[in-house]
Amino acid sequence: MTFDEAKAKLEKYGQLHVLKYYDELTDSQRQELLTQIDETDFEVLKNCANLGKSEGRGQFAPLAAMQVSEIEAKKDEFTRAGVKALKEGKIAACLLAGGMGTRLGSDNPKGMYDIGLTKPVYIFQRIIENLLDTVKQAEGSYIRLFIMTSEKNNDATIAFLKEHDFFGYPQDKITFFKQEMAPASDYDGKVYMEGKSRISTSPNGNAGWYSSMLKAGLRDLILKEGIEWIDIFAVDNVLQRIADPCFVGATLTAGVDCGAKVVRKSAPDEKVGVMCLEDGKPSIVEYYELSQEMMDAKDANGDPAYNYGVILNYMFNEKALFEIAKKELPLHVVEKKIPYIDENAELVKPEAPNGCKFEQLVLDMIHMLDSCLPYEVVREHEFAPIKNKEGVDSVESARELCKKNGIEL
Ligand code: UTP
């Protein structure tokens, strides 16, 4: 893109301040900035006006989960079906590691965090060790592991995993791809600059993975390898079970488009998204959208009707995803702390939220599908997220849960 074209594009979106330092830049910095202007979708910025506004949800209804008791009763049947699919190479896993991990406050990718006490135990290591359990159950069949990074953490992630020899996972079974980015702005929709030649950007949300995968040209690999299902999972749950045969088998047997691991809520008002139906299609209701009436609602057995929280572990039918990828996912505006350069071009890392990021969310992806099986897992065995430095969902709470599961730290 030429300077004039960039200027015209910025003018159209009221973003001319992006060129404030253009005259001072070196040739290569100028080129970088022009490329970024070319690639940036400034259209998203108009969504700033929606910050804090209700996103207009449909009619909610409960969606029954397959409970642990039922899973236990059918464990052998599900496991057999899962092992078969794993051995046939129909199942892949995708680690979502594109997030910024701002709450944890480390500059490194979250997976590099060491939770060990007497020896190093990295988050990435825990995840690969858990995936190797699946490989073992599948009698040595390694499954394709996609790892989504972002342009902010890609190089550090790959270098770290290489340095640790991928914690024993064969390198030729791992495929990295980068998540698409979205610009970040102040509350008036003016993009922040994170350097004189760089617009502030952030990864485009936890549902950005599939479109990013397609953009990276990975559909060919999916088809070539005969992958039919992809289990996506968050980087920060150190007890994460990945594509475990019983979950795989239950999802396949149910004939649904998607399986979702859920945990029983610890309290009616626990801050977790809850699996439900919305206008008759699977969806997730956020904790702050749950009315008192919904919290009090009971199912046929007298148990709370909205009782199963999602843990960001979903197994998607790839063909179903490919169909919905033709439609646009909605964009959500979230208030976040965004580093920026001030009027003296000094980098500021704000202590409090100072603007908007724009994200696509997995809940919209699920809502576009026809069916979903909520599959209950035991929280103490499968859910130890590390979101914060201290307190709830922290390194400390995750360590406690690891110990309870006999994992040496
Ligand atoms: P979170 O929603 O906890 O976000 O991500 P985060 O970026 O890791 O952390 P904070 O909010 O800045 O503290 C849940 C999972 O989704 C991935 C994260 O890497 C994590 O595995 N994720 C999130 C992405 O891969 N891309 C995104 O754009 C957002």
Side-chain angles (χ1 to χ4, degrees):
M1 177 173 256
T2 64
F3 175 81
D4 287 342
E5 285 165 343
K7 199 170 161 203
K9 182 171 179 186
L10 293 171
E11 212 155 17
K12 178 172 165 203
Y13 293 103
Q15 308 288 341
L16 271 178
H17 62 285
V18 168
L19 294 172
K20 180 172 173 191
Y21 297 102
Y22 191 81
D23 291 343
E24 303 177 19
L25 303 179
T26 63
D27 282 348
S28 71
Q29 286 172 326
R30 285 180 178 182
Q31 206 41 57
E32 264 172 49
L33 182 57
L34 293 179
T35 305
Q36 202 192 11
I37 296 167
D38 188 21
E39 288 173 355
T40 299
D41 177 8
F42 294 101
E43 242 346 278
V44 301
L45 300 165
K46 63 172 191 263
N47 291 288
C48 248
N50 299 333
L51 181 66
K53 289 196 186 143
S54 152
E55 292 179 335
R57 304 292 299 264
Q59 189 70 35
F60 292 120
L63 173 61
M66 181 180 272
Q67 298 182 11
V68 167
S69 52
E70 186 181 348
I71 296 168
E72 277 300 316
K74 296 184 179 157
K75 196 172 168 189
D76 290 347
E77 177 199 334
F78 289 157
T79 304
R80 260 196 313 276
V83 166
K84 182 169 177 287
L86 285 157
K87 285 171 74 177
E88 287 168 353
K90 290 183 179 166
I91 316 295
C94 180
L95 165 60
L96 306 184
M100 301 284 281
T102 42
R103 282 170 287 173
L104 192 59
S106 160
D107 285 337
N108 282 331
K110 224 180 202 182
M112 284 173 63
Y113 207 90
D114 178 7
I115 62 162
L117 292 167
T118 60
K119 57 179 184 180
V121 179
Y122 303 102
I123 294 181
F124 279 137
Q125 176 181 356
R126 285 267 56 256
I127 280 172
I128 302 273
E129 281 170 1
N130 287 348
L131 182 57
L132 286 169
D133 284 347
T134 295
V135 172
K136 203 163 152 198
Q137 278 185 281
E139 296 159 24
S141 298
Y142 285 94
I143 66 171
R144 168 76 39 207
L145 171 63
F146 294 101
I147 301 183
M148 180 172 77
T149 61
S150 80
E151 66 179 37
K152 308 245 171 193
N153 67 18
N154 181 66
D155 296 352
T157 301
I158 295 178
F160 178 80
L161 287 169
K162 266 197 184 140
E163 188 189 320
H164 292 276
D165 214 6
F166 300 93
F167 295 106
Y169 211 77
Q171 189 176 351
D172 66 342
K173 285 284 181 185
I174 301 183
T175 306
F176 292 92
F177 66 100
K178 281 192 218 168
Q179 176 167 16
E180 292 168 82
M181 306 293 279
S185 74
D186 66 13
Y187 294 107
D188 296 323
K190 293 259 183 263
V191 291
Y192 278 117
M193 298 297 289
E194 60 188 20
K196 288 182 177 179
S197 62
R198 229 191 123 73
I199 298 167
S200 296
T201 57
S202 71
N204 67 346
N206 62 19
W209 70 274
Y210 189 67
S211 59
S212 303
M213 212 177 207
L214 293 182
K215 210 167 176 192
L218 293 175
R219 186 109 209 284
D220 290 348
L221 180 69
I222 288 169
L223 295 178
K224 190 176 120 220
E225 296 199 339
I227 293 166
E228 294 180 9
W229 295 84
I230 306 177
D231 186 0
I232 65 154
F233 59 97
V235 69
D236 46 27
N237 174 9
V238 288
L239 291 181
Q240 189 81 259
R241 309 304 305 171
I242 304 144
D244 42 306
C246 192
F247 176 48
V248 170
T251 305
L252 265 59
T253 308
V256 285
D257 288 339
C258 166
K261 285 202 176 180
V262 293
V263 292
R264 210 169 273 245
K265 286 206 296 186
S266 56
D269 58 352
E270 188 188 346
K271 290 186 173 174
V272 50
V274 171
M275 225 41 247
C276 64
L277 290 173
E278 182 185 351
D279 296 333
K281 297 215 6 168
S283 192
I284 294 160
V285 53
E286 297 291 357
Y287 68 91
Y288 51 82
E289 296 172 316
L290 270 184
S291 62
Q292 192 59 48
E293 196 187 333
M294 288 165 84
M295 278 193 253
D296 295 341
K298 300 278 186 287
D299 67 14
N301 301 322
D303 294 322
Y306 295 91
N307 205 22
Y308 292 94
V310 289
I311 60 168
L312 227 185
N313 187 323
Y314 302 97
M315 204 172 73
F316 286 105
N317 180 278
E318 199 276 331
K319 272 206 184 86
L321 282 184
F322 190 67
E323 279 309 306
I324 63 166
K326 292 167 190 158
K327 300 178 210 153
E328 192 99 333
L329 280 174
L331 214 55
H332 296 260
V333 193
V334 282
E335 196 181 12
K336 291 264 179 164
K337 298 178 210 166
I338 303 158
Y340 65 99
I341 51 166
D342 63 14
E343 45 298 345
N344 303 317
E346 304 281 350
L347 185 67
V348 180
K349 288 190 174 174
E351 299 283 322
N354 61 333
C356 307
K357 287 187 176 179
F358 305 90
E359 297 186 342
Q360 295 178 338
L361 301 181
V362 128
L363 72 92
D364 293 307
M365 211 168 203
I366 290 176
H367 189 45
M368 282 183 181
L369 297 171
D370 287 330
S371 51
C372 177
L373 172 74
Y375 172 98
E376 186 191 3
V377 297
V378 179
R379 176 190 290 257
E380 289 71 24
H381 292 163
E382 295 208 21
F383 192 42
I386 299 179
K387 301 280 183 197
N388 306 303
K389 261 193 188 156
E390 287 153 6
V392 182
D393 296 343
S394 63
V395 179
E396 218 171 296
S397 60
R399 277 185 184 140
E400 280 307 309
L401 285 161
C402 281
K403 271 190 232 159
K404 280 191 187 149
N405 284 280
I407 296 158
E408 276 180 44
L409 296 176

